[in-house]
Amino acid sequence: AAVQAAAALLYPFRWHHIYLPMLPRSFMDYLSAPMPFMVGLPAQMLDQLRGIPMDDVIRIDLDIHECDPKPGSDRDDAKLLPAKGLLQAALEFLRG
């Protein structure tokens, strides 16, 4: 359900890449694939992630309220997005 909620948060956009609400244990190696994906994992599988290289992965653990990379850290891609004020100004400009 958490992955479905995350996908719904993208509205009005849609996720057009790999989407697995629950990743089967036999697919764990696919998490190091060089393509975008959105997957759900049960907590019991989290220990198996430690050996998989995941430099470009955002991991959100809803059970312990933790996000890796931490918001505002050097690896946080959100800082690449324009600030809310810039987006609002651009929208107002387009509206004329």
Side-chain angles (χ1 to χ4, degrees):
V3 175
Q4 292 172 329
L9 288 173
L10 296 174
Y11 183 82
F13 304 106
R14 293 182 53 188
W15 185 257
H16 291 280
H17 302 286
I18 296 170
Y19 172 78
L20 294 167
M22 187 60 62
L23 184 75
R25 189 176 304 274
S26 59
F27 285 18
M28 286 293 289
D29 290 337
Y30 287 87
L31 293 178
S32 59
M35 59 191 102
F37 51 81
M38 189 181 303
V39 299
L41 296 172
Q44 297 83 4
M45 291 173 63
L46 291 178
D47 285 340
Q48 297 175 8
L49 292 178
R50 301 200 197 294
I52 298 173
M54 297 190 303
D55 296 333
D56 296 327
V57 172
I58 298 172
R59 184 185 57 83
I60 301 172
D61 189 329
L62 298 177
D63 292 331
I64 60 173
H65 307 286
E66 185 177 277
C67 179
D68 181 40
K70 301 256 186 255
S73 71
D74 291 340
R75 290 183 46 226
D76 183 10
D77 289 340
K79 63 184 176 189
L80 301 174
L81 298 172
K84 179 181 176 183
L86 292 173
L87 290 174
Q88 286 178 330
L91 182 60
E92 292 301 321
F93 175 79
L94 292 173
R95 287 183 180 162

